[in-house]
Amino acid sequence: MWAGLQWAGPEAGTVRQAAVLVRMSLNVKTILVSYLEIDIKNHKDEFWEELSWFAREEGKLVAQMGRNDGDLETDGNVQFRSTGTIVYEGEAEVDEELCRRIATQLAEMGDKLEREMRIKPEVVNGIVDALLNHTLNEEYLAATVQSLVQTAPPGVEQELMSVAIALILTKKAVTNVPSLLHNICCTTTHFIERNYRACLERLARQR
């Protein structure tokens, strides 16, 4: 993926190393869970339970926000380090702070897009119906996202807008039907990982 980079001189190695580190530390599942956690206090216990289960299943360290004085719940396969790094069994290290920062930026963008776009309830209902009928897949989500991108306000990179819209739809769908959180989160994670990983990596390097 980084083959097209043509830096030369003494700084080239540093730039390449930074790119590799971003790739290692960024995790789409962690970003998605962090994005949903931002608004977690406004949801019912069922939402929290489903999100915690999804996060633990994915091997992510989960902080019970506002519960048990901030105690952390961990899966047996996860090691927490004081540096804010998560180690997934058999995977590269994940920088949770980086992922939370990206999630916060996407949430802020999403709030602005929601105010300006006013996504119609029938669009969200279509996602929920597809979930209930077991017909939601990446192609369906991609088509829905692209239809909304066409109506979005100008001034935002299209790929970044696509990620933000996918996360908005995910949040709205799981808010309506928390029991389907796992299904749509898996679909959204794969959709973003497959199509917009490079976009998130560019965002991560904007420190």
Side-chain angles (χ1 to χ4, degrees):
M1 165 172 200
W2 306 104
L5 301 181
Q6 300 295 327
W7 289 282
E11 295 181 358
T14 302
V15 174
R16 292 193 190 95
Q17 183 180 25
V20 171
L21 287 174
V22 166
R23 187 167 181 81
M24 287 177 59
S25 61
L26 186 150
N27 183 277
V28 175
K29 300 177 205 132
T30 306
I31 292 172
L32 175 57
V33 172
S34 297
Y35 175 91
L36 294 174
E37 281 179 348
I38 290 171
D39 206 29
I40 199 168
K41 291 183 180 179
N42 298 326
H43 297 291
K44 297 179 180 179
D45 286 344
E46 184 181 4
F47 176 90
W48 167 256
E49 291 168 1
E50 292 291 334
L51 182 61
S52 296
W53 178 66
F54 173 74
R56 285 196 302 270
E57 183 186 55
E58 300 302 338
K60 177 183 179 297
L61 187 69
V62 182
Q64 292 198 26
M65 298 174 63
R67 297 169 184 246
N68 298 329
D69 298 320
D71 289 342
L72 300 177
E73 239 183 290
T74 61
D75 183 282
N77 296 328
V78 180
Q79 175 187 351
F80 178 66
R81 297 180 181 177
S82 59
T83 55
T85 299
I86 299 174
V87 181
Y88 294 79
E89 186 177 34
E91 297 184 12
E93 293 182 355
V94 175
D95 185 339
E96 177 153 344
E97 186 60 34
L98 171 65
C99 292
R100 285 190 181 279
R101 179 173 65 79
I102 293 173
T104 299
Q105 290 179 268
L106 291 169
E108 291 171 354
M109 179 184 297
D111 288 343
K112 183 177 180 181
L113 285 174
E114 284 191 78
R115 289 193 299 270
E116 297 183 6
M117 292 177 60
R118 297 180 181 177
I119 297 175
K120 296 180 179 180
E122 51 263 36
V123 175
V124 180
N125 291 339
I127 296 286
V128 173
D129 288 342
L131 280 166
L132 292 171
N133 296 325
H134 305 290
T135 57
L136 181 70
N137 52 34
E138 292 179 51
E139 289 72 23
Y140 185 101
L141 183 58
T144 304
V145 167
Q146 288 308 308
S147 68
L148 292 173
V149 167
Q150 302 306 315
T151 66
V156 181
E157 179 189 347
Q158 191 172 72
E159 287 189 347
L160 195 55
M161 189 183 302
S162 298
V163 175
I165 290 173
L167 294 176
I168 291 170
L169 293 174
T170 301
K171 181 179 71 174
K172 286 181 174 294
V174 301
T175 299
N176 289 353
V177 191
S179 61
L180 299 177
L181 182 146
H182 180 272
N183 290 344
I184 189 170
C185 281
C186 284
T187 301
T188 302
T189 296
H190 295 153
F191 169 69
I192 294 175
E193 180 73 48
R194 190 187 305 273
N195 298 286
Y196 301 107
R197 169 107 195 172
C199 174
L200 294 178
E201 289 172 354
R202 289 196 300 273
L203 187 61
R205 292 195 295 275
Q206 296 173 10
R207 300 202 181 201

